[in-house]
Amino acid sequence: VISGVDTLDAASHIAGSPELPIRCCYGNDEEFNEAITATATSSVFVLCPTALATIWMLRVWETIQELPFKLLVTRGTMEELRRKGEDNSQAPKMYVSKLGNEYVRHDVSAMDVEQYRTKLREFYHWLLSNSETVDGLALLQVEAEKREMLVQMFGDNAAQSMAVAAATDSILWTDDIAIAEFSSTSLGVQRTWSEILFAHLRDNKTINSVELAEFGAEMPGYGYRHFRLTPDVAIACATRLCRSILARKTKSSIILP
């Protein structure tokens, strides 16, 4: 948990920091096969805030109109997203990213901010129409000492999502291996992650193989670790790399001293 920062901003910070990889799984066959089986046989998933951030960053919600399964989202998670789309009080004027050993300044205009807020509101309404909002009271059923530990380590919304998954005997959709481990060992919760869910959506014909490959190709750039590099994803990655090289040759940046 990054103190004072919501899930989307925290995920964006990690995604922009090469030294902070997003570890969504261990990468072994046993774990992978267990997740595939659990996902294929489940019709209900609980969305962890970390997976919500993945859907947002990869713009999955712009491709998928309707999910083929039931998605449970805690009220706190939904409220945080709603407020973020409406609050302009902390909109940044600029931000700095690191490219190699150099720092690059990016100015943020009022139009940029409004476009960002508009996208957030669209995302909120997409999620609202594709999920069922549930309260997080299941967390109160967790032993007090264990509940306090989960909240301190992962924040209220993630802890509530873990508890809801346990209480409803549902699969937890999370892209954080630590949350996955604690959910399993402390609450007996099965989990899946975005790579598996996206393949499941392809199998259900909600998305096609090209769209699946595009999602997979974006994940390395955001620092996701231990996903499977299929031939389709490898081709999409190579295509993106070529485009990036061409774009760098024509795009100028302001370098800070």
Side-chain angles (χ1 to χ4, degrees), residues 73-158:
V73 185
T74 65
R75 195 175 310 281
T77 301
M78 291 298 297
E79 183 62 16
E80 180 181 86
L81 181 60
R82 184 192 65 79
R83 289 197 304 266
K84 190 173 181 62
E86 294 178 352
D87 181 19
N88 290 308
S89 62
Q90 298 181 355
K93 303 299 182 183
M94 58 81 72
Y95 65 95
V96 176
S97 64
K98 192 173 183 180
L99 182 61
N101 294 321
E102 297 179 321
Y103 289 90
V104 183
R105 170 174 172 155
H106 307 267
D107 292 309
V108 179
S109 68
M111 182 178 296
D112 292 332
V113 171
E114 183 53 36
Q115 288 176 345
Y116 176 70
R117 301 299 182 196
T118 298
K119 284 295 183 183
L120 279 172
R121 290 190 288 269
E122 290 175 357
F123 179 44
Y124 170 79
H125 287 294
W126 176 88
L127 188 60
L128 192 64
S129 65
N130 275 283
S131 66
E132 177 182 331
T133 303
V134 296
D135 61 53
L137 297 179
L139 185 59
L140 297 178
Q141 300 173 17
V142 178
E143 180 186 346
E145 184 177 350
K146 187 182 298 183
R147 179 173 67 244
E148 183 179 350
M149 177 187 66
L150 294 176
V151 171
Q152 287 181 346
M153 291 186 67
F154 307 116
D156 287 325
N157 292 335

XYZ file of all heavy atoms in Angstrom, residues 73-158:
702
model
N -17.853 -6.322 -7.021
C -16.926 -5.230 -6.685
C -17.414 -4.590 -5.389
O -18.610 -4.304 -5.251
C -16.866 -4.171 -7.804
C -15.808 -3.124 -7.487
C -16.583 -4.814 -9.154
N -16.504 -4.352 -4.463
C -16.918 -3.770 -3.193
C -17.347 -2.319 -3.368
O -16.868 -1.608 -4.254
C -15.789 -3.831 -2.149
O -14.693 -3.016 -2.574
C -15.311 -5.259 -1.940
N -18.227 -1.909 -2.497
C -18.752 -0.541 -2.563
C -17.633 0.487 -2.398
O -17.624 1.533 -3.041
C -19.820 -0.351 -1.485
C -20.695 0.884 -1.681
C -21.807 0.929 -0.641
N -22.546 -0.320 -0.552
C -23.490 -0.699 -1.405
N -23.809 0.092 -2.407
N -24.116 -1.848 -1.241
N -16.676 0.180 -1.530
C -15.562 1.101 -1.320
C -14.726 1.291 -2.570
O -14.281 2.402 -2.868
N -14.507 0.215 -3.308
C -13.749 0.294 -4.560
C -14.480 1.152 -5.581
O -13.875 2.009 -6.248
C -13.512 -1.112 -5.134
O -12.781 -1.889 -4.170
C -12.733 -1.058 -6.433
N -15.783 0.930 -5.695
C -16.579 1.704 -6.654
C -16.616 3.178 -6.261
O -16.508 4.054 -7.122
C -18.004 1.145 -6.722
C -18.108 -0.236 -7.354
S -17.573 -0.287 -9.087
C -18.771 0.804 -9.860
N -16.757 3.448 -4.968
C -16.841 4.835 -4.511
C -15.520 5.560 -4.742
O -15.506 6.733 -5.124
C -17.230 4.865 -3.034
C -17.416 6.263 -2.450
C -18.531 7.055 -3.121
O -19.368 6.446 -3.823
O -18.553 8.291 -2.947
N -14.407 4.877 -4.520
C -13.101 5.486 -4.769
C -12.959 5.870 -6.236
O -12.466 6.956 -6.566
C -11.991 4.516 -4.368
C -10.584 5.055 -4.588
C -9.513 4.053 -4.195
O -9.155 3.200 -5.034
O -9.040 4.123 -3.032
N -13.391 4.983 -7.129
C -13.308 5.257 -8.560
C -14.237 6.395 -8.955
O -13.860 7.277 -9.743
C -13.658 3.993 -9.347
C -13.601 4.092 -10.873
C -12.203 4.472 -11.337
C -14.028 2.761 -11.503
N -15.449 6.418 -8.387
C -16.397 7.498 -8.697
C -15.840 8.851 -8.279
O -15.884 9.819 -9.051
C -17.731 7.237 -7.990
C -18.823 8.261 -8.341
C -20.009 8.149 -7.416
N -19.659 8.493 -6.048
C -19.537 9.738 -5.606
N -19.715 10.778 -6.423
N -19.218 9.984 -4.337
N -15.297 8.916 -7.063
C -14.745 10.190 -6.571
C -13.566 10.644 -7.423
O -13.403 11.839 -7.681
C -14.312 10.052 -5.109
C -15.437 9.934 -4.117
C -14.939 10.215 -2.705
N -13.839 9.340 -2.341
C -13.976 8.194 -1.693
N -15.181 7.776 -1.338
N -12.924 7.467 -1.374
N -12.767 9.709 -7.853
C -11.600 10.062 -8.659
C -12.015 10.701 -9.983
O -11.340 11.597 -10.493
C -10.744 8.814 -8.918
C -9.387 9.119 -9.543
C -8.532 7.867 -9.601
C -7.166 8.169 -10.210
N -6.398 9.125 -9.418
N -13.116 10.244 -10.540
C -13.599 10.808 -11.797
C -14.235 12.174 -11.652
O -14.395 12.901 -12.637
N -14.582 12.544 -10.420
C -15.267 13.825 -10.195
C -14.374 14.879 -9.547
O -14.675 16.069 -9.598
C -16.488 13.597 -9.296
C -17.569 12.738 -9.946
C -18.741 12.495 -9.023
O -18.643 12.869 -7.831
O -19.754 11.939 -9.486
N -13.276 14.445 -8.924
C -12.437 15.358 -8.151
C -11.350 15.979 -9.023
O -10.483 15.297 -9.543
C -11.790 14.599 -6.985
C -10.919 15.509 -6.129
O -11.096 16.740 -6.207
O -10.083 14.970 -5.391
N -11.417 17.302 -9.177
C -10.404 18.019 -9.950
C -9.434 18.799 -9.063
O -8.553 19.492 -9.555
C -11.083 19.011 -10.913
C -11.799 18.298 -12.037
O -11.230 17.459 -12.721
N -13.074 18.624 -12.219
N -9.585 18.652 -7.756
C -8.809 19.492 -6.840
C -7.319 19.166 -6.832
O -6.500 20.032 -6.532
C -9.358 19.341 -5.412
O -9.238 17.997 -4.963
N -6.974 17.917 -7.161
C -5.571 17.532 -7.113
C -5.020 17.178 -8.491
O -4.086 16.389 -8.608
C -5.393 16.352 -6.147
C -5.771 16.692 -4.727
C -5.560 15.522 -3.785
O -5.218 14.424 -4.190
N -5.759 15.765 -2.504
N -5.607 17.754 -9.516
C -5.143 17.473 -10.876
C -3.724 18.014 -11.067
O -3.451 19.175 -10.748
C -6.079 18.128 -11.888
N -2.786 17.213 -11.550
C -1.396 17.651 -11.693
C -1.219 18.637 -12.851
O -1.926 18.579 -13.859
C -0.655 16.350 -11.982
C -1.669 15.483 -12.650
C -2.978 15.822 -11.998
N -0.276 19.569 -12.693
C 0.075 20.491 -13.768
C 1.172 19.907 -14.647
O 1.312 20.277 -15.810
C 0.543 21.824 -13.190
C -0.471 22.505 -12.283
C -1.754 22.837 -13.010
C -2.737 23.556 -12.081
N -4.027 23.834 -12.756
N 1.952 19.014 -14.083
C 3.004 18.339 -14.837
C 3.426 17.091 -14.078
O 3.086 16.925 -12.907
C 4.217 19.260 -15.050
C 4.874 19.805 -13.790
S 6.028 18.664 -12.959
C 7.376 18.729 -14.139
N 4.103 16.196 -14.756
C 4.701 15.055 -14.075
C 6.018 14.731 -14.766
O 6.269 15.166 -15.886
C 3.773 13.835 -14.074
C 3.493 13.242 -15.443
C 4.256 12.177 -15.919
C 2.463 13.742 -16.234
C 4.000 11.623 -17.167
C 2.205 13.196 -17.470
C 2.961 12.132 -17.939
O 2.705 11.595 -19.174
N 6.876 14.028 -14.051
C 8.199 13.696 -14.566
C 8.349 12.181 -14.600
O 8.045 11.496 -13.627
C 9.316 14.313 -13.686
C 10.685 13.866 -14.180
C 9.202 15.831 -13.698
N 8.787 11.654 -15.736
C 9.058 10.227 -15.859
C 10.542 10.031 -16.143
O 11.241 10.968 -16.536
C 8.222 9.607 -16.984
O 8.581 10.145 -18.238
N 10.989 8.802 -15.926
C 12.394 8.500 -16.133
C 12.562 7.661 -17.375
O 11.929 6.623 -17.540
C 12.974 7.771 -14.914
C 14.496 7.674 -14.927
C 15.015 7.091 -13.619
C 16.531 7.064 -13.598
N 17.049 6.493 -12.327
N 13.439 8.099 -18.274
C 13.747 7.372 -19.494
C 15.243 7.085 -19.485
O 16.055 7.965 -19.745
C 13.360 8.200 -20.729
C 13.576 7.537 -22.093
C 12.742 6.259 -22.210
C 13.204 8.498 -23.217
N 15.578 5.833 -19.123
C 16.987 5.509 -18.957
C 17.533 6.247 -17.750
O 17.007 6.127 -16.640
N 18.584 7.047 -17.940
C 19.148 7.832 -16.850
C 18.707 9.280 -16.878
O 19.215 10.112 -16.126
C 20.685 7.774 -16.905
C 21.221 6.382 -16.623
O 20.696 5.684 -15.761
N 22.248 5.977 -17.355
N 17.768 9.592 -17.757
C 17.311 10.973 -17.892
C 15.876 11.117 -17.412
O 15.078 10.173 -17.460
C 17.404 11.414 -19.364
C 18.830 11.422 -19.909
C 18.853 11.851 -21.369
O 17.929 11.440 -22.093
O 19.766 12.578 -21.755
N 15.553 12.317 -16.934
C 14.209 12.628 -16.491
C 13.515 13.481 -17.550
O 14.087 14.455 -18.050
C 14.235 13.358 -15.151
C 14.643 12.460 -14.006
C 15.987 12.327 -13.653
C 13.688 11.739 -13.310
C 16.367 11.482 -12.614
C 14.063 10.899 -12.266
C 15.391 10.772 -11.926
O 15.760 9.935 -10.904
N 12.284 13.085 -17.872
C 11.536 13.767 -18.919
C 10.322 14.453 -18.320
O 9.546 13.836 -17.582
C 11.080 12.770 -20.016
C 10.360 13.513 -21.139
C 12.270 11.986 -20.551
N 10.173 15.717 -18.601
C 9.044 16.491 -18.098
C 7.881 16.424 -19.077
O 8.051 16.578 -20.287
C 9.456 17.948 -17.886
C 8.276 18.865 -17.597
C 8.711 20.255 -17.258
N 7.581 21.168 -17.170
C 7.580 22.282 -16.464
N 8.643 22.622 -15.774
N 6.518 23.074 -16.456
N 6.683 16.203 -18.523
C 5.464 16.170 -19.323
C 4.500 17.210 -18.752
O 4.056 17.089 -17.608
C 4.810 14.784 -19.277
C 5.742 13.663 -19.641
N 5.853 13.171 -20.918
C 6.604 12.936 -18.871
C 6.741 12.181 -20.928
N 7.209 12.022 -19.708
N 4.195 18.225 -19.503
C 3.232 19.224 -19.055
C 1.815 18.707 -19.262
O 1.502 18.082 -20.275
C 3.431 20.532 -19.822
C 4.747 21.209 -19.460
O 4.996 21.384 -18.257
O 5.526 21.523 -20.377
N 0.956 18.993 -18.296
C -0.433 18.543 -18.341
C -1.334 19.762 -18.485
O -1.369 20.631 -17.605
C -0.803 17.761 -17.069
C -2.256 17.313 -17.125
C 0.130 16.563 -16.903
N -2.064 19.839 -19.571
C -2.955 20.966 -19.818
C -4.316 20.718 -19.187
O -4.648 19.601 -18.779
C -3.127 21.171 -21.321
O -3.856 20.090 -21.898
N -5.115 21.767 -19.112
C -6.469 21.646 -18.582
C -7.292 20.681 -19.436
O -8.124 19.921 -18.924
C -7.136 23.019 -18.539
N -7.050 20.673 -20.738
C -7.750 19.765 -21.628
C -7.362 18.307 -21.342
O -8.211 17.412 -21.339
C -7.449 20.097 -23.099
C -8.189 19.218 -24.109
S -7.853 19.688 -25.824
C -8.563 21.334 -25.844
N -6.066 18.099 -21.078
C -5.601 16.756 -20.724
C -6.300 16.248 -19.469
O -6.733 15.090 -19.401
C -4.086 16.750 -20.480
C -3.288 17.007 -21.749
O -3.785 16.672 -22.843
O -2.164 17.544 -21.636
N -6.409 17.130 -18.476
C -7.043 16.758 -17.219
C -8.504 16.405 -17.440
O -9.005 15.391 -16.929
C -6.922 17.895 -16.185
C -7.770 17.601 -14.950
C -5.466 18.096 -15.794
N -9.204 17.206 -18.222
C -10.620 16.953 -18.459
C -10.833 15.656 -19.244
O -11.764 14.887 -18.965
C -11.257 18.128 -19.195
C -12.765 17.981 -19.417
C -13.521 17.680 -18.134
O -13.140 18.213 -17.076
O -14.500 16.908 -18.200
N -9.966 15.401 -20.216
C -10.061 14.148 -20.960
C -9.839 12.953 -20.040
O -10.516 11.929 -20.158
C -9.049 14.143 -22.102
C -9.407 15.080 -23.245
C -8.341 15.122 -24.327
O -7.214 14.669 -24.128
N -8.675 15.687 -25.475
N -8.882 13.088 -19.121
C -8.597 12.025 -18.157
C -9.809 11.779 -17.269
O -10.226 10.623 -17.051
C -7.379 12.424 -17.331
C -7.024 11.473 -16.220
C -6.505 10.213 -16.506
C -7.180 11.851 -14.885
C -6.155 9.338 -15.481
C -6.825 10.983 -13.859
C -6.320 9.732 -14.163
O -5.984 8.877 -13.147
N -10.407 12.844 -16.742
C -11.582 12.702 -15.881
C -12.753 12.090 -16.654
O -13.504 11.267 -16.127
C -11.998 14.067 -15.312
C -10.928 14.769 -14.494
C -10.513 13.965 -13.282
N -9.517 14.686 -12.500
C -8.756 14.151 -11.574
N -8.857 12.865 -11.306
N -7.863 14.867 -10.918
N -12.896 12.490 -17.901
C -13.980 11.942 -18.723
C -13.814 10.436 -18.908
O -14.782 9.663 -18.797
C -14.018 12.630 -20.099
O -14.290 14.025 -19.913
C -15.108 12.027 -20.986
N -12.579 10.013 -19.189
C -12.299 8.589 -19.340
C -12.573 7.834 -18.041
O -13.110 6.721 -18.062
C -10.850 8.386 -19.768
C -10.587 8.696 -21.231
C -11.333 7.721 -22.131
C -11.019 7.972 -23.598
N -11.791 7.068 -24.500
N -12.210 8.430 -16.911
C -12.473 7.799 -15.624
C -13.966 7.617 -15.392
O -14.406 6.566 -14.913
C -11.872 8.632 -14.490
C -10.380 8.466 -14.220
C -9.911 9.506 -13.212
C -10.073 7.063 -13.693
N -14.744 8.628 -15.746
C -16.194 8.520 -15.567
C -16.777 7.455 -16.486
O -17.683 6.709 -16.099
C -16.853 9.883 -15.808
C -16.542 10.914 -14.712
C -17.400 12.143 -14.850
N -17.021 12.963 -15.984
C -16.143 13.945 -15.942
N -15.518 14.238 -14.821
N -15.873 14.657 -17.022
N -16.267 7.382 -17.716
C -16.728 6.350 -18.643
C -16.373 4.960 -18.107
O -17.176 4.027 -18.199
C -16.085 6.555 -20.015
C -16.597 7.780 -20.755
C -15.847 8.026 -22.056
O -14.884 7.259 -22.347
O -16.198 8.976 -22.768
N -15.176 4.834 -17.553
C -14.744 3.565 -16.976
C -15.632 3.181 -15.792
O -16.034 2.023 -15.647
C -13.278 3.678 -16.535
C -12.719 2.436 -15.895
C -12.961 1.180 -16.425
C -11.937 2.540 -14.749
C -12.435 0.037 -15.833
C -11.398 1.408 -14.152
C -11.657 0.152 -14.694
N -15.933 4.157 -14.962
C -16.803 3.906 -13.809
C -18.161 3.357 -14.248
O -18.655 2.366 -13.696
C -16.983 5.186 -12.998
C -18.055 5.093 -11.938
C -17.803 4.449 -10.727
C -19.318 5.643 -12.161
C -18.797 4.355 -9.757
C -20.313 5.547 -11.197
C -20.050 4.899 -9.998
O -21.033 4.799 -9.049
N -18.755 3.986 -15.241
C -20.080 3.547 -15.708
C -20.000 2.190 -16.402
O -20.935 1.384 -16.304
C -20.684 4.604 -16.622
C -21.147 5.831 -15.892
N -22.197 5.820 -14.995
C -20.683 7.111 -15.907
C -22.370 7.021 -14.494
N -21.478 7.821 -15.034
N -18.896 1.917 -17.097
C -18.709 0.586 -17.691
C -18.667 -0.469 -16.593
O -19.329 -1.505 -16.675
C -17.411 0.544 -18.500
C -17.107 -0.824 -19.056
C -17.522 -1.343 -20.243
C -16.317 -1.859 -18.422
N -17.054 -2.637 -20.399
C -16.313 -2.969 -19.292
C -15.625 -1.938 -17.218
C -15.643 -4.161 -18.990
C -14.964 -3.126 -16.907
C -14.972 -4.204 -17.793
N -17.889 -0.195 -15.546
C -17.768 -1.156 -14.457
C -19.090 -1.310 -13.719
O -19.472 -2.423 -13.333
C -16.676 -0.693 -13.484
C -16.286 -1.677 -12.370
C -15.773 -2.986 -12.960
C -15.220 -1.055 -11.470
N -19.807 -0.208 -13.554
C -21.100 -0.242 -12.878
C -22.082 -1.146 -13.611
O -22.840 -1.894 -12.990
C -21.652 1.180 -12.772
C -22.870 1.401 -11.854
C -22.506 1.095 -10.405
C -23.368 2.837 -11.994
N -22.047 -1.095 -14.943
C -22.986 -1.898 -15.740
C -22.526 -3.340 -15.924
O -23.313 -4.183 -16.353
C -23.185 -1.244 -17.115
O -21.977 -1.253 -17.861
N -21.263 -3.622 -15.583
C -20.732 -4.975 -15.765
C -20.420 -5.675 -14.448
O -19.698 -6.678 -14.441
C -19.463 -4.933 -16.615
C -19.759 -4.952 -18.101
O -20.068 -5.988 -18.667
N -19.687 -3.786 -18.723
N -20.953 -5.167 -13.361
C -20.642 -5.764 -12.065
C -21.801 -5.598 -11.101
O -22.754 -4.866 -11.363
C -19.382 -5.126 -11.466
O -19.607 -3.759 -11.153
N -21.677 -6.282 -9.994
C -22.624 -6.131 -8.888
C -21.864 -5.533 -7.711
O -20.847 -6.079 -7.280
C -23.224 -7.480 -8.492
C -24.163 -7.412 -7.302
C -24.706 -8.774 -6.898
O -24.826 -9.649 -7.775
O -25.000 -8.963 -5.695
N -22.351 -4.406 -7.220
C -21.694 -3.754 -6.092
C -22.133 -4.413 -4.792
O -23.327 -4.576 -4.540
C -22.041 -2.257 -6.058
O -21.675 -1.650 -7.299
C -21.307 -1.554 -4.930
N -21.154 -4.804 -3.985
C -21.453 -5.461 -2.705
C -20.762 -4.699 -1.587
O -19.748 -4.029 -1.800
C -20.972 -6.932 -2.706
C -21.735 -7.738 -3.758
C -19.474 -7.030 -2.955
N -21.323 -4.785 -0.379
C -20.666 -4.124 0.752
C -19.472 -4.965 1.213
O -19.311 -6.115 0.814
C -21.641 -3.877 1.905
C -22.238 -5.167 2.453
O -21.453 -6.085 2.795
O -23.475 -5.269 2.548
N -18.637 -4.357 2.020
C -17.449 -5.048 2.489
C -17.571 -5.581 3.897
O -16.558 -5.831 4.570
N -18.812 -5.785 4.347
C -19.030 -6.218 5.723
C -18.483 -7.612 6.002
O -18.301 -7.989 7.168
C -20.531 -6.169 6.057
C -21.175 -4.769 6.013
C -22.654 -4.852 6.343
C -20.456 -3.827 6.983
N -18.208 -8.372 4.942
C -17.629 -9.701 5.143
C -16.296 -9.611 5.876
O -15.892 -10.563 6.560
C -17.435 -10.390 3.790
N -15.630 -8.465 5.779
C -14.345 -8.298 6.452
C -14.515 -8.362 7.969
O -13.595 -8.769 8.687
C -13.707 -6.966 6.041
C -12.298 -6.691 6.566
C -11.322 -7.771 6.101
C -11.812 -5.314 6.084
N -15.695 -7.974 8.470
C -15.942 -8.004 9.910
C -16.029 -9.431 10.433
O -15.911 -9.661 11.649
C -17.233 -7.250 10.233
C -17.240 -5.750 9.905
C -18.593 -5.144 10.230
C -16.130 -5.034 10.668
N -16.246 -10.377 9.528
C -16.326 -11.780 9.939
C -14.937 -12.402 10.110
O -14.801 -13.506 10.633
C -17.124 -12.571 8.902
C -18.550 -12.073 8.701
C -19.248 -12.767 7.543
O -18.820 -13.823 7.086
N -20.329 -12.167 7.060
N -13.927 -11.702 9.647
C -12.558 -12.188 9.762
C -12.036 -11.895 11.161
O -12.316 -10.835 11.740
C -11.648 -11.510 8.705
C -10.201 -11.977 8.844
C -12.168 -11.815 7.301
N -11.286 -12.811 11.724
C -10.698 -12.644 13.039
C -9.996 -11.289 13.150
O -9.300 -10.858 12.224
C -9.692 -13.778 13.285
C -8.991 -13.730 14.613
C -7.921 -14.802 14.712
O -7.915 -15.725 13.869
O -7.079 -14.694 15.626
N -10.191 -10.610 14.267
C -9.749 -9.224 14.430
C -8.269 -9.032 14.123
O -7.889 -8.099 13.395
C -10.052 -8.755 15.853
N -7.417 -9.879 14.661
C -5.990 -9.725 14.436
C -5.634 -9.907 12.968
O -4.846 -9.151 12.398
C -5.211 -10.743 15.280
C -3.705 -10.590 15.176
C -2.965 -11.554 16.086
O -3.634 -12.202 16.939
O -1.729 -11.672 15.971
N -6.259 -10.887 12.335
C -6.010 -11.143 10.915
C -6.576 -10.012 10.066
O -5.953 -9.581 9.093
C -6.660 -12.469 10.520
C -6.333 -12.939 9.124
C -7.054 -14.252 8.796
C -6.610 -15.363 9.732
N -7.252 -16.654 9.367
N -7.746 -9.509 10.449
C -8.368 -8.396 9.713
C -7.484 -7.161 9.751
O -7.276 -6.498 8.728
C -9.735 -8.092 10.325
C -10.461 -6.927 9.651
C -11.864 -6.773 10.180
N -11.913 -6.357 11.572
C -12.411 -7.063 12.574
N -12.894 -8.272 12.357
N -12.424 -6.580 13.800
N -6.955 -6.841 10.923
C -6.083 -5.670 11.055
C -4.834 -5.821 10.198
O -4.391 -4.861 9.561
C -5.699 -5.482 12.517
C -4.849 -4.241 12.770
C -4.517 -4.072 14.240
O -5.102 -4.792 15.072
O -3.669 -3.208 14.556
N -4.280 -7.020 10.150
C -3.083 -7.265 9.356
C -3.371 -7.068 7.866
O -2.584 -6.432 7.147
C -2.573 -8.686 9.590
C -1.358 -9.050 8.745
S -0.911 -10.801 8.902
C -2.352 -11.586 8.139
N -4.515 -7.587 7.395
C -4.862 -7.464 5.977
C -5.061 -6.003 5.581
O -4.617 -5.578 4.510
C -6.131 -8.273 5.674
C -6.023 -9.794 5.807
C -7.383 -10.444 5.571
C -4.994 -10.346 4.839
N -5.730 -5.246 6.441
C -5.978 -3.828 6.148
C -4.667 -3.049 6.139
O -4.437 -2.205 5.259
C -6.960 -3.225 7.171
C -7.043 -1.709 7.004
C -8.344 -3.844 7.008
N -3.795 -3.313 7.111
C -2.518 -2.603 7.171
C -1.646 -2.918 5.965
O -0.955 -2.043 5.444
C -1.784 -2.965 8.463
C -2.382 -2.339 9.710
C -1.598 -2.708 10.963
O -0.769 -3.611 10.966
N -1.878 -2.003 12.055
N -1.679 -4.161 5.512
C -0.806 -4.571 4.417
C -1.337 -4.170 3.048
O -0.575 -3.770 2.166
C -0.593 -6.088 4.450
C 0.235 -6.577 5.627
S 0.598 -8.337 5.527
C 1.673 -8.367 4.087
N -2.667 -4.269 2.857
C -3.220 -4.128 1.511
C -4.260 -3.016 1.361
O -4.686 -2.738 0.243
C -3.842 -5.457 1.062
C -2.906 -6.624 1.170
C -3.163 -7.673 2.037
C -1.740 -6.662 0.415
C -2.288 -8.757 2.134
C -0.867 -7.728 0.494
C -1.141 -8.774 1.373
N -4.676 -2.392 2.452
C -5.675 -1.344 2.373
C -7.083 -1.896 2.540
O -7.335 -3.098 2.381
N -8.015 -1.009 2.850
C -9.395 -1.416 3.126
C -10.046 -2.134 1.947
O -10.669 -3.189 2.118
C -10.240 -0.189 3.492
C -9.916 0.335 4.880
O -9.619 -0.483 5.766
O -9.960 1.559 5.074
N -9.941 -1.556 0.756
C -10.671 -2.105 -0.389
C -10.170 -3.484 -0.793
O -10.957 -4.382 -1.114
C -10.595 -1.137 -1.570
C -11.365 0.140 -1.316
O -12.304 0.162 -0.527
N -10.971 1.218 -1.974
N -8.862 -3.671 -0.802
C -8.319 -4.985 -1.145
C -8.682 -6.008 -0.069
O -9.065 -7.144 -0.381
C -6.805 -4.910 -1.317
